[in-house]
Amino acid sequence: MSKLKELPFTTLQFYATAPYECSYIPTRQARSQVATPTHLIHADVYGDLVSNGFRRSGIYTYRPYCDGCKACTACRVDVQHFKAKRYQQRAFNKHQDLVVQIGHLSYFEDHYQLYLDYQKQRHQGGGMDFDDEDQYKQFLLQSKVNTRLIEFRDGPTASEPGKLRMVSIIDIIQDGLSSVYTFFDTSVKNASYGTFAIMWQIAQAEELGLAYVYLGYYIQESPKMSYKANFEPLEVLVDSHWQVHSNIKDALL
């Protein structure tokens, strides 16, 4: 993998944001490094950025750039060598009857309402549980790269369409799928929609002949983000090199 300075990014600039409250580790301050200008980050450049630890929020491409903290580690699943655990396979099998629709980014009212419900149940107080429509659109429905919106519904009946259960936003890059965001119906007891979403993306990457599913950041100290280590073999980006997580996990403490 090329290092950032070796890539053809001569027209890009990178700036650090002001400190802000960390969403994952209480009492810590975070900063991000943002790539600009956004109009020059086309699909190929974006893929190179992702492989160097960046990810996307709306039209902004960023990576953690915190003072004195390296808790956030870019991670990806090695599709070819992935071996599902029993609970992961059960989750995949459990929701096989969901109807999947793959499309381009568009606004749907039931998607937005599901997003709000998900934020209130899973991330209350995180600042996104009161996003208005414009904030939702800026976060998830703006992209300058190859992005797909995937919805998962129960099977339709004779009288009504299937109920919306989950929505995933993914980017397609040169060597894999980059998982941007997933939200789902939290009211269904004993559902495993989050695990199913990752399993579905791994299956899709394999079908498309892509090597990786990029899952954003692994944070060992955050239960919201540490679960990603269960998708083995998980690779993490340490000192500009992708390494198998189980081989270097002690170094991340």
CSV table of all heavy atoms in Angstrom, one decimal, residues 110-142:
chain,number,residue,atom,x,y,z
A,110,ASP,N,-39.8,7.3,5.4
A,110,ASP,CA,-39.7,6.2,6.4
A,110,ASP,C,-38.2,5.9,6.8
A,110,ASP,O,-37.9,5.4,7.9
A,110,ASP,CB,-40.4,4.9,5.9
A,110,ASP,CG,-39.9,4.4,4.6
A,110,ASP,OD1,-39.1,5.1,3.9
A,110,ASP,OD2,-40.3,3.3,4.2
A,111,HIS,N,-37.3,6.1,5.9
A,111,HIS,CA,-35.9,6.0,6.2
A,111,HIS,C,-35.5,7.0,7.3
A,111,HIS,O,-34.8,6.6,8.3
A,111,HIS,CB,-35.0,6.2,5.0
A,111,HIS,CG,-35.1,5.2,4.0
A,111,HIS,ND1,-34.2,5.1,2.9
A,111,HIS,CD2,-35.9,4.1,3.8
A,111,HIS,CE1,-34.5,4.0,2.1
A,111,HIS,NE2,-35.6,3.5,2.6
A,112,TYR,N,-35.9,8.2,7.1
A,112,TYR,CA,-35.6,9.3,8.1
A,112,TYR,C,-36.2,9.0,9.4
A,112,TYR,O,-35.5,9.1,10.5
A,112,TYR,CB,-36.1,10.6,7.5
A,112,TYR,CG,-35.9,11.8,8.5
A,112,TYR,CD1,-34.7,12.1,9.0
A,112,TYR,CD2,-37.0,12.5,8.9
A,112,TYR,CE1,-34.6,13.2,9.9
A,112,TYR,CE2,-36.9,13.6,9.8
A,112,TYR,CZ,-35.7,13.9,10.3
A,112,TYR,OH,-35.6,15.0,11.2
A,113,GLN,N,-37.4,8.5,9.5
A,113,GLN,CA,-38.0,8.2,10.8
A,113,GLN,C,-37.3,7.0,11.5
A,113,GLN,O,-37.2,7.0,12.7
A,113,GLN,CB,-39.5,7.9,10.6
A,113,GLN,CG,-40.3,9.1,10.1
A,113,GLN,CD,-40.2,10.3,11.1
A,113,GLN,OE1,-40.2,10.1,12.3
A,113,GLN,NE2,-40.2,11.5,10.6
A,114,LEU,N,-36.9,6.0,10.7
A,114,LEU,CA,-36.2,4.9,11.2
A,114,LEU,C,-34.8,5.4,11.8
A,114,LEU,O,-34.4,5.0,12.9
A,114,LEU,CB,-36.0,3.8,10.2
A,114,LEU,CG,-35.2,2.6,10.7
A,114,LEU,CD1,-36.0,1.8,11.7
A,114,LEU,CD2,-34.9,1.6,9.5
A,115,TYR,N,-34.2,6.3,11.1
A,115,TYR,CA,-32.9,6.9,11.5
A,115,TYR,C,-33.1,7.6,12.9
A,115,TYR,O,-32.3,7.4,13.8
A,115,TYR,CB,-32.4,7.8,10.5
A,115,TYR,CG,-31.2,8.7,10.9
A,115,TYR,CD1,-29.9,8.2,10.8
A,115,TYR,CD2,-31.4,10.0,11.3
A,115,TYR,CE1,-28.8,8.9,11.2
A,115,TYR,CE2,-30.3,10.8,11.7
A,115,TYR,CZ,-29.0,10.2,11.6
A,115,TYR,OH,-28.0,11.0,12.0
A,116,LEU,N,-34.1,8.4,13.0
A,116,LEU,CA,-34.4,9.1,14.3
A,116,LEU,C,-34.6,8.2,15.4
A,116,LEU,O,-34.1,8.3,16.5
A,116,LEU,CB,-35.6,10.1,14.1
A,116,LEU,CG,-35.3,11.3,13.2
A,116,LEU,CD1,-36.6,12.1,13.2
A,116,LEU,CD2,-34.2,12.1,13.7
A,117,ASP,N,-35.5,7.1,15.2
A,117,ASP,CA,-35.7,6.1,16.2
A,117,ASP,C,-34.5,5.4,16.6
A,117,ASP,O,-34.3,5.2,17.8
A,117,ASP,CB,-36.8,5.1,15.7
A,117,ASP,CG,-38.2,5.7,15.6
A,117,ASP,OD1,-38.4,6.8,16.1
A,117,ASP,OD2,-39.0,5.1,14.8
A,118,TYR,N,-33.7,5.1,15.7
A,118,TYR,CA,-32.4,4.4,16.0
A,118,TYR,C,-31.5,5.2,16.8
A,118,TYR,O,-30.9,4.8,17.8
A,118,TYR,CB,-31.7,4.0,14.6
A,118,TYR,CG,-30.3,3.4,14.8
A,118,TYR,CD1,-30.2,2.1,15.2
A,118,TYR,CD2,-29.2,4.2,14.6
A,118,TYR,CE1,-28.9,1.5,15.3
A,118,TYR,CE2,-27.9,3.7,14.8
A,118,TYR,CZ,-27.8,2.3,15.1
A,118,TYR,OH,-26.5,1.8,15.3
A,119,GLN,N,-31.3,6.5,16.4
A,119,GLN,CA,-30.5,7.4,17.2
A,119,GLN,C,-31.0,7.6,18.6
A,119,GLN,O,-30.2,7.6,19.6
A,119,GLN,CB,-30.4,8.8,16.5
A,119,GLN,CG,-29.7,8.8,15.2
A,119,GLN,CD,-28.3,8.3,15.2
A,119,GLN,OE1,-27.6,8.4,16.3
A,119,GLN,NE2,-27.7,7.9,14.1
A,120,LYS,N,-32.3,7.7,18.8
A,120,LYS,CA,-32.8,7.9,20.2
A,120,LYS,C,-32.6,6.6,21.0
A,120,LYS,O,-32.4,6.7,22.2
A,120,LYS,CB,-34.3,8.2,20.1
A,120,LYS,CG,-34.6,9.6,19.5
A,120,LYS,CD,-36.1,9.8,19.3
A,120,LYS,CE,-36.3,11.2,18.7
A,120,LYS,NZ,-37.7,11.4,18.4
A,121,GLN,N,-32.7,5.5,20.4
A,121,GLN,CA,-32.6,4.2,21.2
A,121,GLN,C,-31.1,3.8,21.4
A,121,GLN,O,-30.8,3.3,22.5
A,121,GLN,CB,-33.3,3.1,20.4
A,121,GLN,CG,-34.8,3.2,20.4
A,121,GLN,CD,-35.4,3.3,21.8
A,121,GLN,OE1,-35.1,2.6,22.7
A,121,GLN,NE2,-36.4,4.2,21.9
A,122,ARG,N,-30.3,4.0,20.5
A,122,ARG,CA,-28.9,3.6,20.5
A,122,ARG,C,-27.8,4.7,20.9
A,122,ARG,O,-26.8,4.4,21.4
A,122,ARG,CB,-28.5,2.9,19.2
A,122,ARG,CG,-29.2,1.6,19.0
A,122,ARG,CD,-28.9,0.6,20.1
A,122,ARG,NE,-29.7,-0.7,20.0
A,122,ARG,CZ,-29.2,-1.8,19.3
A,122,ARG,NH1,-28.0,-1.7,18.8
A,122,ARG,NH2,-29.9,-2.8,19.3
A,123,HIS,N,-28.2,5.9,20.5
A,123,HIS,CA,-27.2,7.0,20.7
A,123,HIS,C,-27.8,8.2,21.3
A,123,HIS,O,-27.4,9.3,20.9
A,123,HIS,CB,-26.5,7.3,19.3
A,123,HIS,CG,-25.9,6.1,18.7
A,123,HIS,ND1,-24.7,5.5,19.2
A,123,HIS,CD2,-26.2,5.4,17.6
A,123,HIS,CE1,-24.4,4.5,18.4
A,123,HIS,NE2,-25.3,4.4,17.4
A,124,GLN,N,-28.7,8.0,22.2
A,124,GLN,CA,-29.4,9.2,22.9
A,124,GLN,C,-28.3,10.1,23.5
A,124,GLN,O,-27.5,9.6,24.3
A,124,GLN,CB,-30.4,8.7,23.9
A,124,GLN,CG,-31.3,9.8,24.4
A,124,GLN,CD,-32.4,9.3,25.2
A,124,GLN,OE1,-32.3,8.2,25.8
A,124,GLN,NE2,-33.5,10.0,25.3
A,125,GLY,N,-28.5,11.4,23.3
A,125,GLY,CA,-27.5,12.3,23.8
A,125,GLY,C,-26.3,12.5,23.0
A,125,GLY,O,-25.4,13.3,23.4
A,126,GLY,N,-26.1,11.7,21.9
A,126,GLY,CA,-24.9,11.8,21.2
A,126,GLY,C,-24.9,13.0,20.2
A,126,GLY,O,-23.9,13.1,19.4
A,127,GLY,N,-26.0,13.7,20.1
A,127,GLY,CA,-26.0,14.9,19.2
A,127,GLY,C,-26.7,14.6,17.9
A,127,GLY,O,-27.0,15.6,17.1
A,128,MET,N,-27.0,13.4,17.6
A,128,MET,CA,-27.6,13.0,16.3
A,128,MET,C,-29.1,12.6,16.5
A,128,MET,O,-29.7,12.4,15.5
A,128,MET,CB,-26.8,11.9,15.6
A,128,MET,CG,-25.4,12.3,15.3
A,128,MET,SD,-24.3,10.9,14.9
A,128,MET,CE,-25.0,10.5,13.3
A,129,ASP,N,-29.5,12.5,17.7
A,129,ASP,CA,-30.9,12.0,17.9
A,129,ASP,C,-32.0,13.1,17.6
A,129,ASP,O,-33.1,12.8,17.7
A,129,ASP,CB,-31.1,11.4,19.3
A,129,ASP,CG,-30.4,12.2,20.4
A,129,ASP,OD1,-29.4,12.9,20.1
A,129,ASP,OD2,-30.8,12.2,21.6
A,130,PHE,N,-31.5,14.3,17.4
A,130,PHE,CA,-32.5,15.3,17.0
A,130,PHE,C,-32.1,15.9,15.6
A,130,PHE,O,-32.5,17.1,15.4
A,130,PHE,CB,-32.5,16.4,18.1
A,130,PHE,CG,-33.1,15.9,19.4
A,130,PHE,CD1,-32.2,15.7,20.5
A,130,PHE,CD2,-34.4,15.7,19.5
A,130,PHE,CE1,-32.7,15.2,21.7
A,130,PHE,CE2,-35.0,15.3,20.7
A,130,PHE,CZ,-34.1,15.0,21.8
A,131,ASP,N,-31.4,15.2,14.8
A,131,ASP,CA,-31.1,15.7,13.5
A,131,ASP,C,-32.4,16.0,12.7
A,131,ASP,O,-33.3,15.2,12.6
A,131,ASP,CB,-30.3,14.7,12.7
A,131,ASP,CG,-28.8,14.6,13.1
A,131,ASP,OD1,-28.4,15.4,13.9
A,131,ASP,OD2,-28.1,13.8,12.5
A,132,ASP,N,-32.4,17.2,12.1
A,132,ASP,CA,-33.5,17.5,11.2
A,132,ASP,C,-33.3,16.9,9.8
A,132,ASP,O,-32.2,16.3,9.6
A,132,ASP,CB,-33.8,19.0,11.1
A,132,ASP,CG,-32.6,19.8,10.6
A,132,ASP,OD1,-31.8,19.2,9.8
A,132,ASP,OD2,-32.4,21.0,11.0
A,133,GLU,N,-34.2,17.1,8.9
A,133,GLU,CA,-34.0,16.5,7.6
A,133,GLU,C,-32.8,16.9,6.9
A,133,GLU,O,-32.1,16.1,6.2
A,133,GLU,CB,-35.3,16.8,6.7
A,133,GLU,CG,-36.5,16.1,7.1
A,133,GLU,CD,-37.7,16.3,6.2
A,133,GLU,OE1,-37.4,16.8,5.1
A,133,GLU,OE2,-38.8,16.1,6.6
A,134,ASP,N,-32.5,18.2,7.0
A,134,ASP,CA,-31.3,18.7,6.3
A,134,ASP,C,-30.0,18.1,6.8
A,134,ASP,O,-29.1,17.7,6.1
A,134,ASP,CB,-31.2,20.2,6.4
A,134,ASP,CG,-32.2,20.9,5.5
A,134,ASP,OD1,-32.7,20.3,4.5
A,134,ASP,OD2,-32.5,22.1,5.7
A,135,GLN,N,-29.9,18.0,8.1
A,135,GLN,CA,-28.7,17.3,8.8
A,135,GLN,C,-28.6,15.9,8.3
A,135,GLN,O,-27.5,15.4,8.1
A,135,GLN,CB,-28.8,17.5,10.3
A,135,GLN,CG,-28.6,18.9,10.8
A,135,GLN,CD,-28.9,19.0,12.3
A,135,GLN,OE1,-30.0,18.6,12.7
A,135,GLN,NE2,-28.0,19.6,13.0
A,136,TYR,N,-29.7,15.2,8.3
A,136,TYR,CA,-29.8,13.8,7.9
A,136,TYR,C,-29.3,13.7,6.4
A,136,TYR,O,-28.4,12.8,6.1
A,136,TYR,CB,-31.2,13.2,8.0
A,136,TYR,CG,-31.5,11.9,7.3
A,136,TYR,CD1,-31.0,10.7,7.9
A,136,TYR,CD2,-32.2,11.9,6.1
A,136,TYR,CE1,-31.2,9.5,7.2
A,136,TYR,CE2,-32.5,10.7,5.5
A,136,TYR,CZ,-32.0,9.5,6.1
A,136,TYR,OH,-32.2,8.3,5.4
A,137,LYS,N,-29.8,14.5,5.6
A,137,LYS,CA,-29.4,14.5,4.2
A,137,LYS,C,-27.9,14.8,4.0
A,137,LYS,O,-27.2,14.2,3.2
A,137,LYS,CB,-30.2,15.5,3.3
A,137,LYS,CG,-31.7,15.1,3.2
A,137,LYS,CD,-32.5,16.2,2.5
A,137,LYS,CE,-34.0,15.8,2.4
A,137,LYS,NZ,-34.8,16.9,1.8
A,138,GLN,N,-27.4,15.8,4.7
A,138,GLN,CA,-26.0,16.2,4.6
A,138,GLN,C,-25.1,15.0,5.1
A,138,GLN,O,-24.0,14.8,4.5
A,138,GLN,CB,-25.7,17.4,5.4
A,138,GLN,CG,-26.3,18.7,4.8
A,138,GLN,CD,-26.2,19.9,5.8
A,138,GLN,OE1,-25.5,19.8,6.8
A,138,GLN,NE2,-26.9,20.9,5.4
A,139,PHE,N,-25.5,14.3,6.1
A,139,PHE,CA,-24.7,13.2,6.7
A,139,PHE,C,-24.7,12.0,5.8
A,139,PHE,O,-23.7,11.4,5.5
A,139,PHE,CB,-25.3,12.9,8.1
A,139,PHE,CG,-24.6,11.7,8.7
A,139,PHE,CD1,-23.3,11.5,8.6
A,139,PHE,CD2,-25.4,10.8,9.5
A,139,PHE,CE1,-22.7,10.3,9.2
A,139,PHE,CE2,-24.8,9.7,10.1
A,139,PHE,CZ,-23.5,9.5,10.0
A,140,LEU,N,-25.9,11.6,5.3
A,140,LEU,CA,-26.0,10.3,4.6
A,140,LEU,C,-26.3,10.3,3.1
A,140,LEU,O,-26.0,9.4,2.4
A,140,LEU,CB,-27.0,9.4,5.3
A,140,LEU,CG,-26.6,9.0,6.7
A,140,LEU,CD1,-27.8,8.1,7.3
A,140,LEU,CD2,-25.3,8.2,6.8
A,141,LEU,N,-26.9,11.4,2.7
A,141,LEU,CA,-27.4,11.4,1.3
A,141,LEU,C,-26.6,12.3,0.3
A,141,LEU,O,-27.1,12.6,-0.8
A,141,LEU,CB,-28.9,11.8,1.3
A,141,LEU,CG,-29.8,10.9,2.1
A,141,LEU,CD1,-31.3,11.4,2.0
A,141,LEU,CD2,-29.7,9.5,1.8
A,142,GLN,N,-25.5,12.8,0.8
A,142,GLN,CA,-24.6,13.5,-0.1
A,142,GLN,C,-23.3,12.7,-0.3
A,142,GLN,O,-22.7,12.3,0.6
A,142,GLN,CB,-24.2,14.9,0.5
A,142,GLN,CG,-25.4,15.8,0.5
A,142,GLN,CD,-25.0,17.3,1.0
A,142,GLN,OE1,-23.8,17.6,1.0
A,142,GLN,NE2,-26.0,18.1,1.2
